[in-house]
Amino acid sequence: DKKPNPGVPERNNQKNMHYFAFKRNTLYCENTRIKKLAEGFGTPLYVYSERTIREHYNKIKKAFKEVKPLICYSVKANSNLSILKIIKSLGGGLDIVSGGELYRAKAVKCRPEKIVYASVGKSEAEIKDALKYGILMFNVESAAELERINSACIKMKKKAKVSLRFNPDVEPGTHTYITTGKKETKFGLDEGSLKKIFLESKRYKSIVLCGIHIHIGSQITTSHPFLKALKKVSGIVKYLRTKNIAIDYLNIGGGLGIVYGEEKPQTAADFAKKVLPLIKPLSLKLIIEPGRFIVGNAGVLVAKVLYIKDTKSKRFIIVDAAMNDLIRPSLYDAYHTIVGVDKVKGPPGRSSDIVGPVCESGDFLGKDRPLKVKEGDYIAVLGAGAYGFSMSSNYNSRPRPAEVLVKNNKTTLVRKRENYKDLIEKEV
């Protein structure tokens, strides 16, 4: 939990463009009052800005326009069907990692040739389902997985396009739990193993090895780790070409960081300017898998203050949202800017921990924040659009929140709030 940053990041900051801003001392999402949404839909409540989603997608598209990439939104960041429909309407594809995410892709009628399928542990049933739908390609993470896909293709009399995921063993400078390109992680193939598979590609009769995939981590704020990884990829591509092995695709994954507090991440334009000189000479079709960059700052979690608890050592602001609603602070010790929905005049409040009702000491949304609120007020946890609802749970038998999507001054309920009946519906 980094040094507190009590303000709302400026809307016109190109690194953090979003449409949550104070107007007349109350927080708005686009042209809709957050307080009105909280009162109308209840709390905890996830609120998303459609305009922010669209603009962030278009920043990636514009930054890489000269190479015309296939932008496959990372569904795991936020899998709400309405958000997937927005991405589809913009011409984007989907990066999926499970059979459930494929099911969501089918539900929004995403074109199969715009779907790429990652994950280190695809089951045979998931592989067959993806083959049946005709996805563009699998991102394969091990020789054993490649054998399984080849076997499934033979049984189904189909061919599968495959990109091999390369683990470049680079340090991305992010949290250990979201670092995926180091040799000690479970992800991808080392250089020797990857080359060996390409050189022995003829043994996989029903596989078309057509690309290299990298994804080195998430919430990466500088270009250096990407450049280091891409230099290694470039060497591999050149080596394969000396062996008369041609590939068509380069998938550089996602991982672009956003502003949660005091981070100063690169813009999409800055990122493209740095990596394109390495990508363009390879003359490969480019795939990008952004998730957090598109939806992270497009969502907030709204909660109601239940109690103010003062102790000799600390003040606790107890709200009705908890770690089951937003686990990032508890899991990663992640920082989220937290503001009162209504501004209160005067000096900042006493430094407080914002905590939820769950029976864990790790149940907090923020620590040591100078938040000035009283019981019954509403707070907003910013930057909650990615890995917020998608990582939520029913821990402590708590129903998950509702989700709403705002477009200008129009609000749509895009996921109903769960109730107690939902909690036990599948139990026998």
Side-chain angles (χ1 to χ4, degrees), residues 328-359:
R328 294 190 73 255
S330 302
L331 183 62
Y332 307 127
D333 202 25
Y335 179 90
H336 286 262
T337 295
I338 301 175
V339 297
V341 165
D342 290 319
K343 277 188 175 179
V344 180
K345 292 181 180 179
R350 179 182 171 188
S351 184
S352 308
D353 287 3
I354 294 89
V355 301
V358 161
C359 296

Side-chain angles (χ1 to χ4, degrees), residues 53-63 71 90:
I53 294 168
R54 290 181 179 275
E55 290 197 5
H56 283 191
Y57 177 93
N58 285 326
K59 282 177 190 240
I60 294 277
K61 185 177 180 180
K62 182 179 179 181
I71 302 172
L90 294 168

Side-chain angles (χ1 to χ4, degrees), residues 78-255:
N78 189 320
S79 58
N80 188 283
L81 296 181
S82 292
I83 289 175
L84 303 189
K85 285 180 179 178
I86 294 170
I87 301 299
K88 180 191 165 192
S89 74
L90 294 168
L94 300 176
D95 158 41
I96 63 171
V97 296
S98 72
E101 289 188 353
L102 176 59
Y103 187 82
R104 287 178 176 273
K106 291 190 221 177
V108 298
K109 295 182 172 58
C110 180
R111 288 165 55 185
E113 66 271 21
K114 288 191 173 185
I115 297 174
V116 292
Y117 198 156
S119 164
V120 299
K122 306 174 190 74
S123 70
E124 188 168 351
E126 288 176 321
I127 290 166
K128 288 180 176 178
D129 198 14
L131 287 170
K132 194 180 296 182
Y133 193 57
I135 65 166
L136 176 62
M137 72 177 66
F138 293 98
N139 293 330
V140 166
E141 313 233 9
S142 67
E145 181 193 341
L146 192 60
E147 293 279 7
R148 184 69 58 85
I149 294 173
N150 188 57
S151 176
C153 286
I154 291 169
K155 290 175 186 175
M156 297 176 68
K157 297 180 180 178
K158 287 183 176 289
K159 287 252 184 186
K161 285 184 179 179
V162 163
S163 277
L164 296 183
R165 180 168 179 177
F166 172 47
N167 184 326
D169 191 26
V170 297
E171 175 55 62
T174 190
H175 192 283
T176 303
Y177 291 178
I178 50 177
T179 293
T180 58
K182 291 284 287 176
K183 64 182 179 182
E184 60 267 24
T185 68
K186 67 181 179 179
F187 299 99
L189 295 149
D190 63 76
E191 185 171 338
S193 300
L194 184 137
K195 286 178 177 177
K196 186 173 185 290
I197 290 173
F198 271 111
L199 292 172
E200 297 176 354
S201 59
K202 289 182 180 177
R203 63 178 287 199
Y204 304 102
K205 303 297 184 184
S206 294
I207 297 293
V208 179
L209 286 176
C210 62
I212 294 177
H213 172 231
I214 55 170
H215 179 67
I216 59 175
S218 190
Q219 185 54 13
I220 302 169
T221 56
T222 68
S223 61
H224 177 71
F226 292 102
L227 296 174
K228 194 172 180 181
L230 284 169
K231 285 175 183 176
K232 291 187 177 186
V233 171
S234 179
I236 293 171
V237 172
K238 290 172 183 175
Y239 168 80
L240 292 176
R241 285 174 176 166
T242 66
K243 302 296 182 181
N244 295 316
I245 296 172
I247 60 175
D248 298 318
Y249 292 92
L250 172 60
N251 184 334
I252 63 171

Side-chain angles (χ1 to χ4, degrees), residues 1-62:
D1 202 55
K2 300 177 185 176
K3 182 180 176 182
N5 175 14
V8 176
E10 288 297 323
R11 201 190 74 177
N12 62 358
N13 181 335
Q14 291 301 308
K15 296 179 182 178
N16 191 43
M17 176 73 76
H18 63 70
Y19 290 90
F20 294 93
F22 281 100
K23 303 176 187 178
R24 297 178 293 279
N25 292 320
T26 190
L27 187 62
Y28 276 71
C29 174
E30 300 190 16
N31 286 320
T32 301
R33 289 174 60 222
I34 295 286
K35 187 173 183 178
K36 180 182 177 182
L37 297 178
E39 291 172 343
F41 293 98
T43 53
L45 178 70
Y46 275 100
V47 179
Y48 306 122
S49 159
E50 180 169 336
R51 186 175 179 183
T52 306
I53 294 168
R54 290 181 179 275
E55 290 197 5
H56 283 191
Y57 177 93
N58 285 326
K59 282 177 190 240
I60 294 277
K61 185 177 180 180
K62 182 179 179 181

